[in-house]
Amino acid sequence: MPQSSRNIRLPIEPAPPSRLCKLPNHQPADPSAIESLDAVYRSEAPKLSRYFRARVRENDEAADLVQEAFARLAGFMVKSPLAQPAPYLQRIARNLLFDRSKSLEKRSAPLRVAFGEETDPGVAPDQAHRIEAGDVMRVYRRALNELPEKTRVVFVLHRIDELTYCQIGVRLGISVPTVQYHVARALSHIDAALEQE
């Protein structure tokens, strides 16, 4: 008797990036860029998937993060090809996890319990982790403050206020490609600042 299709589980894999390269209102992507992205996808997607699964513990969310990382890489590679896209992809992955943690932090803020002077937390704080996180945040804030005004405003609206590119464009009276330019410029500057530390 054949098995029911309900009992068959297929692994969920993100769509190949060659399907991501058709951007609305843009010229078709260069075929060599698509082939290059496809090669990067085939070699890096399994590693990236393991990286995300180890950190988010949810396979569906890990697959979404892999997809988002390659979508961002594809968007960048359409503009300018990369000689070594793997390190850039790793930086995108770290940024996605950072964004995710900020988003989770925002959503869980009302659930936090403040400890009074009489109350000791059940687990001692990890001082080295706090110091490192504080250093990263200082570098991040300094890099953010070094950005030109418009780039900083666009970046904050996108990353902190979680507005879409279209919403930012409407609010500031600029086009979506201009919003993308400012976000990419901000990410590049912040990435360089974090790499120097």
Side-chain angles (χ1 to χ4, degrees):
M1 183 172 208
Q3 278 189 328
S4 164
S5 62
R6 292 182 194 163
N7 295 335
I8 299 173
R9 290 194 52 137
L10 299 175
I12 298 173
E13 290 188 23
S18 58
R19 294 186 187 152
L20 300 174
C21 292
K22 295 178 183 172
L23 300 173
N25 301 325
H26 288 82
Q27 304 241 342
D30 177 21
S32 64
I34 293 173
E35 289 174 17
S36 172
L37 186 60
D38 194 47
V40 172
Y41 178 81
R42 292 184 191 286
S43 68
E44 297 297 323
K47 295 177 204 171
L48 206 54
S49 184
R50 284 190 301 275
Y51 174 80
F52 283 132
R53 277 197 312 267
R55 284 154 180 84
V56 298
R57 307 283 187 225
E58 295 178 28
N59 285 338
D60 290 344
E61 190 172 1
D64 290 344
L65 289 168
V66 170
Q67 186 72 20
E68 176 67 19
F70 275 98
R72 290 183 183 189
L73 180 65
F76 184 81
M77 288 182 72
V78 165
K79 295 174 192 168
S80 62
L82 294 168
Q84 294 182 331
Y88 191 80
L89 185 62
Q90 291 165 1
R91 174 52 77 178
I92 291 171
R94 287 193 300 266
N95 288 344
L96 284 171
L97 286 176
F98 181 77
D99 292 346
R100 178 184 175 272
S101 70
K102 284 296 190 191
S103 178
L104 290 174
E105 196 175 290
K106 228 178 184 181
R107 281 185 269 160
S108 66
L111 303 175
R112 292 191 183 159
V113 176
F115 289 104
E117 292 179 9
E118 314 80 44
T119 310
D120 289 330
V123 177
D126 180 6
Q127 186 176 7
H129 178 65
R130 283 197 338 238
I131 290 170
E132 184 179 329
D135 290 343
V136 168
M137 286 308 295
R138 270 190 295 283
V139 171
Y140 179 81
R141 285 187 187 108
R142 185 182 71 230
L144 194 59
N145 288 332
E146 292 171 350
L147 291 171
E149 175 81 20
K150 189 166 218 162
T151 302
R152 183 175 49 252
V153 168
V154 168
F155 184 76
V156 167
L157 287 173
H158 180 61
R159 290 297 174 112
I160 308 298
D161 297 341
E162 297 180 348
L163 296 181
T164 66
Y165 289 168
C166 187
Q167 291 169 328
I168 295 168
V170 168
R171 182 179 283 188
L172 299 179
I174 58 177
S175 67
V176 170
T178 303
V179 172
Q180 292 170 333
Y181 165 79
H182 286 294
V183 171
R185 184 176 180 190
L187 286 173
S188 175
H189 180 74
I190 292 168
D191 181 46
L194 290 172
E195 287 295 322
Q196 287 177 355
E197 291 301 313

